[in-house]
Amino acid sequence: GENVEQHPSTLSVQEGDSAVIKCTYSDSASNYFPWYKQELGKRPQLIIDIRSNVGEKKDQRIAVTLNKTAKHFSLHITETQPEDSAVYFCASLGQDNYGQNFVFGPGTRLSVLP
Amino acid sequence: DAGVIQSPRHEVTEMGQEVTLRCKPISGHDYLFWYRQTMMRGLELLIYFNNNVPIDDSGMPEDRFSAKMPNASFSTLKIQPSEPRDSAVYFCASSWDIANTEAFFGQGTRLTVV
C-alpha cells in the first residue's frame, strides 16, 4: 500500500521568512495530494491541493509543487506570519487492496517566531 | 450546512467500559472516514464507508473496535471494552467522493480511558 513520508518533523522560522515542507510517496498511481493545516486543538483543514496533471499550484502565500517522476511534493509558505504556526499534514490518495484511500504523512510542526 | 458534527467532544471513561462515538456527515457526501490521531502515530485511517457500506476496515486495530453506518446521516465508532491505549482524538470526515476532492473533518472527540 501507499507510504507517505514527511520532513522535517519540526520547523522553526522567523516571521517573514519562507517555510518548505517536503513529502514523498510510494504509489506511482497516486493522483491527488492535499495539504491540511491543523491548529492546536482544532480539526485538520484543507489549505491547498494538487492533482497529478499539474506541476505547481499557488494560492496567495502558499504554493505546492509536485514531481511525479521523483514521487515527491512540497508545500511552500512565503512571508510567514505567526498565524501560520500549526501542524501541517500532507496526504496522498493511493490504491490498496480495497480501492483508493488517503494516507497521511506524520505531520510537520511549524513555529513562526515573531 | 453545519459541517461534520461529532459527539461527544470529550469523553472520559474507565478501562473496560464501552465507548460510542457519533458522527453526522455533511449532507450529500457519499464517503465517511473515521481517523484516530495520536502523538506517536499521527493520523491513522481506521475505516471508511461509501454509501453507508464499509469499504476498507483494515485500519481498525482490534476486534474491540467496530463501526456502523445505518443511514447516510449517521455513523458510530464503538470500542468495547476500552483500554488506556485507546486514548486519542478520533476524527470523522466526509467527502463527495474519494478522488480529487477535499475531506471535511469534524471537530473530533477527545477520548481518555483511565
Side-chain angles (χ1 to χ4, degrees), chain A residues 74-92:
Chain A
S74 300
L75 178 72
H76 305 253
I77 306 174
T78 58
E79 301 171 27
T80 54
Q81 301 167 4
E83 53 264 38
D84 295 329
S85 297
V87 178
Y88 291 81
F89 293 95
C90 63
S92 169

Side-chain angles (χ1 to χ4, degrees), chain A residues 31-32 36 38 41-46 49 51 89 93 96 98-102 104-106 109, chain B residues 4 9 33 35 37 39 42-43 45 48 55-58 91 98-103 105-107:
Chain A
N31 57 12
Y32 175 61
Y36 283 81
Q38 186 177 25
K42 297 188 177 180
R43 76 189 88 184
Q45 291 191 292
L46 182 76
D49 57 13
R51 292 159 176 75
F89 293 95
L93 183 64
D96 61 19
Y98 299 87
Q100 291 181 302
N101 88 62
F102 283 106
F104 281 83
R109 183 173 298 279
Chain B
V4 177
R9 292 290 308 278
F33 308 84
Y35 288 93
Q37 187 175 40
M39 287 292 293
L43 265 172
L45 177 66
Y48 80 88
I55 303 299
D56 181 355
D57 66 353
S58 59
F91 285 103
I98 199 171
N100 301 317
T101 61
E102 175 183 0
F105 282 76
Q107 291 186 304

Side-chain angles (χ1 to χ4, degrees), chain A:
Chain A
E2 175 73 293
N3 182 49
V4 177
E5 296 184 354
Q6 184 172 348
H7 300 280
S9 56
T10 60
L11 178 61
S12 293
V13 299
Q14 290 294 134
E15 183 176 358
D17 287 350
S18 295
V20 180
I21 303 170
K22 298 180 180 180
C23 287
T24 61
Y25 61 98
S26 60
D27 186 352
S28 57
S30 295
N31 57 12
Y32 175 61
F33 308 92
W35 285 89
Y36 283 81
K37 175 184 180 182
Q38 186 177 25
E39 297 177 8
L40 188 63
K42 297 188 177 180
R43 76 189 88 184
Q45 291 191 292
L46 182 76
I47 54 171
I48 196 167
D49 57 13
I50 192 166
R51 292 159 176 75
S52 58
N53 57 344
V54 298
E56 183 174 0
K57 182 177 179 180
K58 191 173 182 180
D59 183 3
Q60 299 182 345
R61 297 186 296 109
I62 296 173
V64 57
T65 58
L66 170 65
N67 183 328
K68 280 194 64 78
T69 302
K71 291 189 281 188
H72 66 70
F73 56 110
S74 300
L75 178 72
H76 305 253
I77 306 174
T78 58
E79 301 171 27
T80 54
Q81 301 167 4
E83 53 264 38
D84 295 329
S85 297
V87 178
Y88 291 81
F89 293 95
C90 63
S92 169
L93 183 64
Q95 189 88 19
D96 61 19
N97 292 335
Y98 299 87
Q100 291 181 302
N101 88 62
F102 283 106
V103 176
F104 281 83
T108 296
R109 183 173 298 279
L110 174 64
S111 300
V112 180
L113 309 174

Side-chain angles (χ1 to χ4, degrees), chain B residues 66-92:
Chain B
S66 62
K68 295 182 180 179
M69 192 165 184
N71 57 62
S73 59
F74 183 65
S75 177
T76 59
L77 178 68
K78 185 178 294 186
I79 309 172
Q80 165 63 21
S82 57
E83 297 183 2
R85 60 195 170 114
D86 301 330
S87 298
V89 179
Y90 291 81
F91 285 103
C92 175

